[in-house]
Amino acid sequence: MECALDAQSLISISLRKIHSSRTQRGGIKLHKNLLVSYVLRNARQLYLSERYAELYRRQQQQQQQQQQPPHHQHQHLAYAAPGMPASAADFGPLQVGGGGDAEAREPAARHQLHQLHQLHQLHLQQQLHQHQHPAPRGCAAAAGASAGGAGALSELPGCAALQPPHGAPHRGQPLEPLQPGPAPLPLPLPPPAPAALCLRDPRASAACSAPSAPPGATPPAAAASPPASPAPASSPGFYRGAYPAPSDFGVHCSSQTTVLDLDTHVVTTVENGYLHQDCCASAHCPCCGQGAPGPGLASATGCKRKYYPGQEEEDEDEEDAGDLGAEPPGGAPFAPCKRARFEDFCPDSSPDASNISNLISIFGSGFSGLVSRQPDSSEQPPPLNGQLCAKQALASLGAWTRAIVAF
Amino acid sequence: HKRHMRGAGGGGCPAGGNDFQWCFSQVKGAIDEDVAEADIISTVEFNYSGDLLATGDKGGRVVIFQREQENKSRPHSRGEYNVYSTFQSHEPEFDYLKSLEIEEKINKIRWLPQQNAAHFLLSTNDKTIKLWKISERDKRAEGYNLKDEDGRLRDPFRVTALRVPILKPMDLMVEASPRRIFANAHTYHINSISVNSDHETYLSADDLRINLWHLEITDRSFNIVDIKPANMEELTEVITAAEFHPHQCNVLVYSSSKGTVRLCDMRSSALCDRHSKFFEEPEDPSSRSFFSEIISSISDVKFSHSGRYMMTRDYLSVKVWDLNMESRPVETHQVHEYLRSKLCSLYENDCIFDKFECCWNGSDSAIMTGSYNNFFRMFDRNARRDVTLEASRENSKPRASLKPRKVCTGGKRKKDEISVDSLDFNKKILHTAWHPLENIIAVAATNNLYIFQDKIN
C-alpha cells in the first residue's frame, strides 16, 4: 500500500496520538489505543526490517574491506563479526568513544535516527527541568557500550523486533546515518510530549533524568550518554487500562512495566528485558554480545503495591509535561537511575519473536519476570532496578505506553 | 396505500422493488456554521412502531420526535416528525477513584417494546445505563377538598362540603423520568446496549465485557462475556459492538476490533467466553498495509429483522453474513473504496477511527450506512444496486428528490462528480436509522437530523 508517510513519521504520529489520548475527555480509549499500537507495530516492523537490510548490506561491504591493514582491524572486528551488522558503529551518537569517523559514513541514513535521537534528547531536557521528578528508572539500556564486549551482535536474531521483513515494500529510503551533534530539534513535537512519555520515579535520583549537556551541546557526550529515559514502564502508578508496555518500540533493551489493574487496584511492576536490534546496533551493546544470562533484575520484579490515585493529580499539576501519573507512596525501593551510558548494558532479550500478534511482541518486550542480563565485565553490576536507559527516541516509545495504559 | 414492509426478506418495497426515490422531508437542528460540540448527534433510533424517533447528543440530551398523525386536511404533511420530548439524560461525571472524567455523550439509545401508554427507552453513556419513562399527561384533576386550585392547603375547619375531584383536559405535557439507573458495572467504555426479545432483560457491552441485566434490577448484573486477558499485556482485541438476536432470546453476537464476530448461546454456559459460532473472513494478504488492523475493526453489527442474517460494518465496507455460514460473508458492499489510498491521511486526522453504523430496512431488502461529505450509501440487496445520496441544506426543499452523487476516483472528473480530494471529512454521517415499517430514514449529519421519505406516488 502506498503511504505518504514513512515508518518513522508514522511512529511519531502514533506516539503523539497516544500521548494526547491521555488528556482527552472521557479517559483513555482502549480501542483506539489498541489500534494505534497495531500501526506502531507495523511501522516498527518495516522500519526495522529496512534497517536490518541496510545494516546487513553494509556488513557485506565491510567484509569485503576486511583486507585492510591490521590497525584497522580492531575497529572492524567489533563490527564485522559474522552475522553482525557492520554498521553498528555507524550509529555514532550512541557510541561511546570513538567511531566518530565511522558514523560519518552515511549521513543521509542517519538523519532519521538522529531525529529520533533528538526527540529523545528533548525528552531528556524535560527531565532535566523537573527536579522533583527524577528520571525514570528501568530505562532500557539499549546502548551497552562496552567496546570489549565484542559487540558481537550475535543476539540479533533474538530480538523480537527483528521480525523477518514481512513483505512490506521497502520504502526505498536509505537509512541515514545518525549524525551526532546539535541542531535544533527537527521534530515539531511539543516539548511536553516526549517528556510526558517518560516515566518517572520519585525515588530515582536526578542523575538519570538529566542529560549532561543540552541537546546540541556536545554531541559526543550526548552520544555517549543516551538519555535516561523513558523507561517504559517503571513508574508506579501505571494504569493497566490498556497495554502495558514497555518497551521498546524497537530500541531499548530493558524496561520495567508497572501496571495498575483497574479492577483490583493492585500495582504490579514487572521487569522485562528485551534485546533489540537497535540497541545492539549501537556498537557496543554487551548484552548483544553475550548470550549468557546474567543476574535478573530482581527486586522490583512482580512487586505489588496499592495504587493511590490521589497522587496523580498532584503530579500532573507539578510537571510541565503534565502527564506522569501518580507515584506510589511506598513500594519497592528503586536504585537511582543513573545517566545511561553506553557502558550500561541491557539485558538479553527474552525472545518472543514468534508471536507478533499480541502486545508483548508489539512492544517488543517479554514480560517474563526476571530478565537475564549480562553485565559488561568492566562494569559494576547494575542496580537491580534497571536504570538502563533507552538510547534512542525509539526506545522512549516504551515510555509512552504509560500514556495508553493510564486509564 | 402503503404496504407494510415487514416480511422475512425478499418483500419488495412499495415502489416496486426497484429504485427508491428519496425525497427530502425535514431537517432538525441549527443551521449555524459553528457547531457546538454538545449538539453533535451521537445516536439515532426509531421505536418499534416508527412513530417515535429518538436522538442522543454529545451533551447528554435526548430529543424524541413523534410522527404526526396523517391529517386529511393537510395531506402534504404526510406524517411529519415534531419534537415530542427533550430531556437531559446524562450529565458529566467525575470518577474520583480513578481520576477520570466520564463523558455525558449518549452512546446508544434503545427503545423497549411498548406495553402501556408510556414509552420506555434505555440510554447509555460510557459508564451508566438509564431506563427512561416517557409519559403523557393531558388531564389534570380539579376540585380537591383539602387544597385550593393553586395548591395551598385549606384549613380543614373551612371545609364544609365534600366534592369529588374531576379530571379536566390540559395542554399535553410529556414527562420523562428516570425509572432505573444501572451503574457501576463497567470498567471500560460501554459501546452497545441491546434489549432482549424476552423484553425483560438486556445486555450492555464495553471493550472487554458484556453484562446481562434484568430491567427491574439495578443492583446486580451478570457478566456473560469477558475477554479481558489475565495479563493485560496480552490484549489483542476488544469488543466493539454486541446485539441480541431479534427472536432467539438466548443468542447474542459481538464483534471485535479484529474484524471477527462471535455468536454466543447463553444456554450453553453461564459465561459465554466460548463462542458457538465464529465469523471471520480471511484477510487478503495482497491488501496488507500499516492500517490493515484498523480498517478491519468492526464498528457495528446488526441482525436482520428476520434473524437469518447479520450485517457488519468495517471502515471501508459493509458485509452481510448468513448465520449459517461462518467462513465468509454472503455479500460485501464497498462503501467508499476510494479511501483505501488515503488511509495515511485519514490516520493522521483521526478519521480512520470513525465508527460508522449501519441499518436494515424493514423487509431486509436494503441496507444503509454513512460516509463522508455528508454522503450516505444505500444498497438494494435484491436489485444489486447501490446509490450515494447527500444530506445537505442545499437539497432541502420540501419533497425535493435527492440526486444520486458520485465520487470521482481519478482521471477526468465528470460534471456533478466530486473528487476524492474535495470531500469534506469533517462532515461525516455515522448514525442512520430506517423506519421499521416504511421507507422513512433518519440521517444524522453532525448536529442536524435529516428525515427523508420515499416518494410513493
Side-chain angles (χ1 to χ4, degrees), chain B residues 278-290:
Chain B
F278 183 71
F279 299 84
E280 182 181 34
E281 182 173 32
E283 186 194 356
D284 173 14
S286 66
S287 64
R288 180 111 192 107
S289 76
F290 285 123

Side-chain angles (χ1 to χ4, degrees), chain A residues 1-7 10 13-14 17 24-32 34-36 38-39 41-43 46 171 239-245 257 259 261-263 265 270 307 309 312-313 357-360 367 407, chain B residues 58 92 94 96-104 126-127 187-189 207-209 228-238 240 257-258 287-294 297-298 340-341 343-344 347-350 353 355:
Chain A
M1 184 209 75
E2 304 263 331
C3 183
L5 300 173
D6 62 354
L10 269 183
I13 289 171
S14 303
K17 286 187 192 298
Q24 279 167 2
R25 270 192 89 210
I28 292 180
K29 309 265 185 290
L30 185 62
H31 183 202
K32 180 177 177 184
L34 181 64
L35 296 178
V36 171
Y38 276 112
V39 175
R41 178 198 70 175
N42 295 338
L46 177 65
R171 305 221 65 80
Y239 295 92
R240 196 215 300 207
Y243 343 98
T257 297
V259 295
D261 188 319
L262 282 176
D263 294 333
H265 294 287
V270 178
Y307 167 66
E312 178 179 15
E313 293 295 314
S357 66
N358 65 27
L359 282 174
I360 292 177
F367 273 77
F407 196 94
Chain B
K58 282 194 171 183
F94 195 81
Y96 294 99
L97 186 64
K98 296 169 186 165
S99 296
L100 291 177
E101 188 179 6
I102 300 169
E103 279 190 280
E104 67 277 27
D126 284 339
K127 296 288 185 185
T187 305
Y188 303 95
H189 295 324
D207 291 319
L208 297 179
R209 299 191 176 102
K228 182 180 178 188
N231 189 357
M232 272 298 277
E233 302 137 16
E234 293 163 17
L235 181 74
T236 59
E237 63 182 330
V238 297
T240 53
S257 55
K258 275 191 166 175
S287 64
R288 180 111 192 107
S289 76
F290 285 123
F291 311 106
S292 293
E293 288 82 3
I294 300 187
S297 175
I298 292 176
R340 193 180 285 272
S341 56
L343 293 181
C344 238
Y347 178 71
E348 278 189 276
N349 62 19
D350 269 3
F353 301 104
K355 298 188 183 173

